[in-house]
Amino acid sequence: MEMTDVSEEKTMSITQLLHIKYPIMQGAMAQIAKAPLVAAVSNAGGLGIIASGGMSAEELRAEIRKTKELTDKPFGVNLMLMMTNIDELTTVIIEEDVKVVTTGAGTPKTYMPIWKEAGIIVIPVVPSVMIARKMEQLGADAVVAEGTEAGGHVGETTTMALLPQVVDAVSIPVIAAGGIGDGRGIAAAFALGAQGVQIGTRFLATDECPVHENFKLACLKAKDRDTVVTGRRNGAPVRSN
Ligand SMILES: Cc1cc2nc3c(=O)[nH]c(=O)nc-3n(C[C@H](O)[C@H](O)[C@H](O)COP(=O)(O)O)c2cc1C
């Protein structure tokens, strides 16, 4: 009987890669995912992620420093690559010694060599198999496969359909996002081959989240049909509630 060398096949787990206790990432949320929320998630054993979308370079630097005051655990920064100040944000990330970057809204191709040189773990958020493959070729350490159930900017494929296809297509770890709200969703993501999950909406109702109390209550009261996707016609669909 032929034996398979399991040790050779095994990729590094997401908890080992990110030096975290639980394979749970808090999704970046522009104007929302700031130091208090990010640090709370990291302190609890997940990976908090600062959303830099809409920030100036100096605002990002201040947020990174504030986060470091609140936690000594790993955390990341999300870069929306269509932002015009991405060069300055990249400089801040390197100067402030941020260890993990997640990306969205564009290709990280230009920046990948600079980030890798700085020893940064790069995790692009992808809506399709094709883009997941491209990110692996560019040197991504993992990808977040985000289904259309997610809050914020969305693709068209559901998490259930997208995730196993991305898992089959790449050999780097895959993190699932989109519609995961509790342990059942996490278990389902693992059953489909994910090594971790990224959760956004669920964190909106936390004490550390800076959105208005009424919005938190609306999230808690929301029913199955209470989210809406706008912007499909102009090619930039966004899910909100
Ligand atoms: C209010 C809101 C803002 C978001 N902003 C960003 C962002 O700035 N950058 C990004 O990459 N993803 C953003 N996302 C997506 C999240 O990081 C995450 O992938 C997504 O929320 C996961 O799906 P879930 O909301 O069903 O948990 C946002 C999501 C929400 C709900």
Side-chain angles (χ1 to χ4, degrees):
M1 195 175 98
E2 220 171 286
M3 298 292 281
T4 313
D5 184 351
V6 184
S7 62
E8 261 186 21
E9 281 191 355
K10 214 171 137 192
T11 51
M12 191 185 275
S13 80
I14 212 75
T15 48
Q16 284 171 320
L17 180 70
L18 300 172
H19 302 287
I20 55 177
K21 191 169 175 194
Y22 303 112
I24 298 175
M25 290 163 48
Q26 158 258 307
M29 294 184 277
Q31 314 294 336
I32 296 169
K34 295 187 173 181
L37 177 60
V38 172
V41 173
S42 289
N43 282 333
L47 187 82
I49 298 174
I50 298 173
S52 71
M55 283 185 189
S56 69
E58 286 321 302
E59 282 169 338
L60 176 60
R61 192 189 300 282
E63 217 53 46
I64 292 169
R65 290 186 178 175
K66 231 185 282 175
T67 306
K68 283 183 179 169
E69 279 169 23
L70 298 172
T71 184
D72 56 2
K73 300 278 193 307
F75 64 91
V77 171
N78 170 254
L79 287 169
M80 298 294 273
L81 294 162
M82 83 298 191
M83 285 190 53
T84 50
N85 62 346
I86 207 80
D87 286 343
E88 294 99 275
L89 296 179
T90 283
T91 303
V92 167
I93 282 169
I94 293 169
E95 283 174 359
E96 295 298 323
D97 200 24
V98 171
K99 301 283 189 236
V100 184
V101 163
T102 64
T103 68
T107 173
K109 191 174 177 181
T110 317
Y111 300 95
M112 198 62 106
I114 307 167
W115 294 336
K116 301 306 303 179
E117 173 72 25
I120 295 171
I121 294 165
V122 185
I123 309 182
V125 179
V126 302
S128 70
V129 168
M130 189 186 73
I131 297 179
R133 282 211 181 101
K134 272 194 187 151
M135 293 304 117
E136 182 177 38
Q137 281 161 13
L138 287 180
D141 296 278
V143 285
V144 174
E146 188 187 66
T148 195
E149 298 91 322
H153 289 274
V154 289
E156 292 294 345
T157 313
T158 60
T159 306
M160 182 102 174
L162 176 67
L163 182 56
Q165 294 188 71
V166 172
V167 167
D168 287 349
V170 298
S171 47
I172 50 178
V174 179
I175 295 146
I180 299 168
D182 60 21
R184 293 168 296 183
I186 296 174
F190 275 84
L192 294 172
Q195 290 207 10
V197 295
Q198 171 164 290
I199 298 174
T201 302
R202 175 73 194 239
F203 287 111
L204 288 174
T206 58
D207 288 339
E208 294 84 357
C209 174
V211 302
H212 195 278
E213 211 51 35
N214 290 348
F215 187 80
K216 291 182 187 179
L217 289 173
C219 285
L220 292 173
K221 279 193 202 149
K223 301 251 177 346
D224 52 349
R225 286 157 59 91
D226 285 346
T227 69
V228 62
V229 176
T230 54
R232 277 212 168 94
R233 227 185 281 174
N234 65 15
V238 176
R239 183 181 299 284
S240 44
N241 52 347

